[in-house]
Amino acid sequence: MEVSWWCSARPISWSWDPQFFPGIWVVMLCIIGSYFFVYVKSSKRSSSSDQRIATNKEKLSFVAGWVLLWVMTDWPIGVLGSGYLLSAHMLQYVIYSLVIAPLLVGGITNSMVSGYKDQWFFITIRSLISRPFVCFVAFNIVLAITHIPYFTDILKPLQLGQMLIDILWISVAILFWAAIGTFDDQSDVSLARAQKLLYIIGITLLPTIPGAFFVFSDFPIYTTYEFATRVFNGISAREDQMYAGLIMWMGMTPILLIRLAMAFFSWSEAESRRAGTID
Amino acid sequence: MNNKNFRVSIFRIAQRSVHKSIFSQSTPIAYQISIIFSMVFFLTIFLACSSEDRISKEDALGKDRLFGIRVDDSLQPPNFILQDTDGNIFDFQQKTSGKVTLLYFGYTNCPDICPVHFANIAAALDRSPYEVRNGVNVIFVSVDPERDSPKKIREWLDFFDTDFIGLTGTDSDLVIAQNAVGAPAAFVSEVYENGYSIAHAAWIFLYTQDGSLYLKYPTGTRQAEWAHDLEALVLENWSHGSKGSKNNGG
């Protein structure tokens, strides 16, 4: 029996029988393994200076992001999104971009990466995240390209293609959130609060444009989902596409509101501190 | 030589200007955001334009194109008799004349091709004007009489559209019907522990109202293509004089 190593669109009926994708397991274990390897190494390095590498909240943030990443990439959501339901694909995109990426970034501290400052990959990433606009452009270009039907329908049936889409989504999202300074005070990457808010509004509002095409299109846009066997009786390919558009619209809104509220309270607190009302 | 240096200089100046104006951190945020919005807008337009969903009915009709593949002219509309899901005799030629007719041989336990075909046709008709919906017969002939009772066929078809017609018959009647349309006879291809699968023609056969055009549609015919062809054929927005050059290869 052929074992697939990554989720992809396959011309077979949907089944609720669990499936095992070794490629996804390997990547996920590598991610968490690397995180704790770096954490332990940094702890040893800084044991003399009594410096804290990451707070429990930061570690929890990374682990929560990692768990969500696995849930969104592996069976069943990964399989549904890769070849059966456009709405599952869109849910993956929204969660990857607006929840998982900031959680992962929130768990990586300056103390953890300080030992790698001279490494070429760190210099490259550092150079990228010091240009939030470039990361913003990359984020939106990846959004547009990975939703062009021509490319999507070619990439989705290939395991490597679906893997590429997953990696592109999470990579540009991580770059974006790192660039707008998710690890705020600990990072020397700084942007004015208003600019940060504008970027956050930008990435949550721009996807509503392609979302409109999904909602108002008369027919299914992607052949991958048009010819997939139905997962839920009574939900046609076009209805599924409409739900995908709504996820792009509605799914982004609460996340945007939460981010805006967080930013507002953070700003308010900072202002109060400055005014001396809080110790 | 001077000309070449000049062009290189101009290119470098342009490159620096673009870099400075867009990517520099000193560029006003409003300006950067407006550039992004413009870029995403154009990319989205590109997305929309690259979608096959935007097949323009007017353009396609204007070019007199149909997505179905034209079958040999020498084949006559089929003549066979089966039984419908109410138990009545169904004379194909008699019952289908005057309407565009889609004919398909499949079985209700089919895991993929049959339900996808019927879901797509139902969706296309659902988006079509009333006169188009009313001018089309969709006929499903079960090639699995052992498992597909008339009741089961009816329930399966009702899931897509209650107007779809279901037919069944004896094994020999079914072979006659398949031969009449030029389809290979279906056969049991694989036997499992708890059932079996059937190999059958995956084409959908289409006959026009007057039987003057005979097309077939492969697996992979899109909803937009169905909607286009059915509207053109029902409303007779295609030219009888150019039959030979009609199909575009699907």
Side-chain angles (χ1 to χ4, degrees):
Chain A
M1 189 184 148
E2 187 198 345
V3 176
S4 301
W5 53 273
W6 204 272
C7 303
S8 62
R10 288 182 295 168
I12 53 172
S13 305
W14 167 254
S15 160
W16 285 103
D17 295 336
Q19 292 167 48
F20 170 61
F21 296 97
I24 294 175
W25 281 64
V26 168
V27 169
M28 293 304 155
L29 294 175
C30 282
I31 290 173
I32 199 72
S34 307
Y35 182 77
F36 281 104
F37 173 77
V38 170
Y39 177 80
V40 170
K41 209 174 160 190
S42 309
S43 302
K44 281 180 185 165
R45 195 172 48 235
S46 66
S47 57
S48 53
S49 63
D50 211 22
Q51 185 190 5
R52 197 160 189 187
I53 300 302
T55 62
N56 285 341
K57 196 177 155 191
E58 284 161 342
K59 281 183 274 184
L60 187 68
S61 169
F62 189 90
V63 172
W66 173 76
V67 169
L68 257 180
L69 178 66
W70 198 338
V71 168
M72 285 291 140
T73 312
D74 209 338
W75 184 92
I77 296 175
V79 182
L80 286 171
S82 63
Y84 294 91
L85 294 172
L86 182 59
S87 46
H89 161 100
M90 208 48 67
L91 182 72
Q92 276 182 300
Y93 177 78
V94 171
I95 302 291
Y96 269 36
S97 307
L98 300 182
V99 182
I100 296 172
L103 282 174
L104 291 177
V105 170
I108 301 168
T109 62
N110 272 357
S111 314
M112 287 176 77
V113 294
S114 59
Y116 303 91
K117 274 186 173 163
D118 298 330
Q119 308 261 2
W120 67 268
F121 66 87
F122 186 82
I123 294 167
T124 310
I125 291 171
R126 191 92 189 151
S127 151
L128 274 171
I129 63 176
S130 64
R131 294 176 174 82
F133 183 74
V134 174
C135 298
F136 187 68
V137 170
F139 184 90
N140 284 290
I141 286 176
V142 165
L143 161 74
I145 287 177
T146 55
H147 289 93
I148 291 173
Y150 179 77
F151 293 120
T152 308
D153 287 331
I154 286 176
L155 293 177
K156 287 271 172 188
L158 308 171
Q159 294 178 64
L160 203 61
Q162 181 59 48
M163 186 187 177
L164 181 72
I165 290 176
D166 292 340
I167 289 174
L168 271 175
W169 280 357
I170 198 69
S171 305
V172 291
I174 285 174
L175 277 180
F176 172 78
W177 287 103
I180 66 162
T182 305
F183 31 100
D184 285 322
D185 301 334
Q186 298 170 43
S187 169
D188 57 2
V189 175
S190 61
L191 263 180
R193 285 176 197 279
Q195 282 182 319
K196 283 182 193 175
L197 288 181
L198 274 176
Y199 278 126
I200 294 171
I201 291 170
I203 63 153
T204 44
L205 292 188
L206 285 170
T208 59
I209 302 171
F213 284 99
F214 294 163
V215 172
F216 296 115
S217 173
D218 277 342
F219 298 105
I221 291 174
Y222 302 101
T223 52
T224 304
Y225 301 106
E226 183 175 351
F227 293 110
T229 54
R230 295 293 94 207
V231 176
F232 302 108
N233 286 346
I235 298 182
S236 67
R238 191 177 158 274
E239 285 165 333
D240 167 48
Q241 181 172 286
M242 219 162 64
Y243 297 143
L246 291 176
I247 288 173
M248 242 175 170
W249 282 358
M250 312 294 281
M252 296 263 184
T253 310
I255 293 167
L256 169 67
L257 290 176
I258 290 167
R259 294 295 311 184
L260 287 177
M262 282 166 66
F264 174 77
F265 286 120
S266 154
W267 169 79
S268 165
E269 195 181 332
E271 287 300 306
S272 303
R273 271 211 187 96
R274 194 181 301 165
T277 54
I278 294 177
D279 292 334
Chain B
M1 192 66 183
N2 282 340
N3 193 21
K4 191 183 172 188
N5 284 343
F6 176 72
R7 273 184 295 170
V8 169
S9 306
I10 292 290
F11 175 75
R12 283 187 182 152
I13 290 167
Q15 197 182 19
R16 270 189 225 125
S17 309
V18 168
H19 183 82
K20 201 176 168 187
S21 62
I22 300 178
F23 297 111
S24 163
Q25 287 186 40
S26 60
T27 306
I29 188 76
Y31 180 55
Q32 292 186 347
I33 295 287
S34 62
I35 291 170
I36 288 294
F37 268 95
S38 315
M39 285 172 68
V40 173
F41 175 75
F42 286 114
L43 276 168
T44 311
I45 295 296
F46 176 54
L47 181 154
C49 293
S50 65
S51 163
E52 288 178 45
D53 169 52
R54 63 166 190 95
I55 294 164
S56 157
K57 290 182 179 177
E58 290 72 25
D59 285 356
L61 290 174
K63 287 174 189 164
D64 197 24
R65 292 166 60 203
L66 291 173
F67 290 94
I69 295 170
R70 191 172 169 76
V71 182
D72 185 2
D73 273 341
S74 61
L75 284 172
Q76 296 299 308
N79 186 13
F80 59 83
I81 294 172
L82 290 169
Q83 196 183 358
D84 68 19
T85 49
D86 293 328
N88 301 319
I89 296 297
F90 191 94
D91 183 324
F92 185 82
Q93 264 191 357
Q94 192 190 330
K95 295 269 190 180
T96 59
S97 71
K99 278 192 174 185
V100 168
T101 301
L102 299 177
L103 175 64
Y104 183 74
F105 295 91
Y107 64 113
T108 64
N109 280 43
C110 178
D112 39 40
I113 296 172
C114 303
V116 170
H117 259 323
F118 275 75
N120 282 348
I121 293 170
L125 284 172
D126 192 45
R127 309 293 296 173
S128 299
Y130 173 76
E131 59 267 41
V132 174
R133 289 202 303 274
N134 201 38
V136 177
N137 276 325
V138 180
I139 298 177
F140 171 79
V141 180
S142 168
V143 291
D144 186 12
E146 197 177 311
R147 287 183 295 187
D148 287 347
S149 63
K151 188 177 172 232
K152 192 176 176 192
I153 296 171
R154 187 67 266 153
E155 283 171 0
W156 188 79
L157 287 173
D158 285 350
F159 174 72
F160 305 107
D161 192 321
T162 50
D163 288 334
F164 287 179
I165 298 165
L167 301 179
T168 185
T170 61
D171 285 339
S172 57
D173 287 343
L174 292 169
V175 171
I176 291 169
Q178 290 169 87
N179 288 341
V181 299
F187 60 92
V188 173
S189 58
E190 264 182 282
V191 178
Y192 309 115
E193 200 177 316
N194 53 356
Y196 55 89
S197 62
I198 293 178
H200 60 92
W203 297 90
I204 290 193
F205 301 93
L206 182 147
Y207 304 94
T208 49
Q209 298 92 320
D210 57 1
S212 64
L213 184 62
Y214 175 24
L215 302 167
K216 58 182 187 178
Y217 291 82
T219 306
T221 303
R222 303 198 64 180
Q223 289 179 20
E225 295 168 350
W226 278 119
H228 165 262
D229 277 19
L230 292 175
E231 185 172 326
L233 290 162
V234 170
L235 304 178
E236 301 206 51
N237 287 334
W238 54 282
S239 161
H240 285 258
S242 59
K243 278 184 202 169
S245 60
K246 270 184 176 307
N247 90 69
N248 66 352

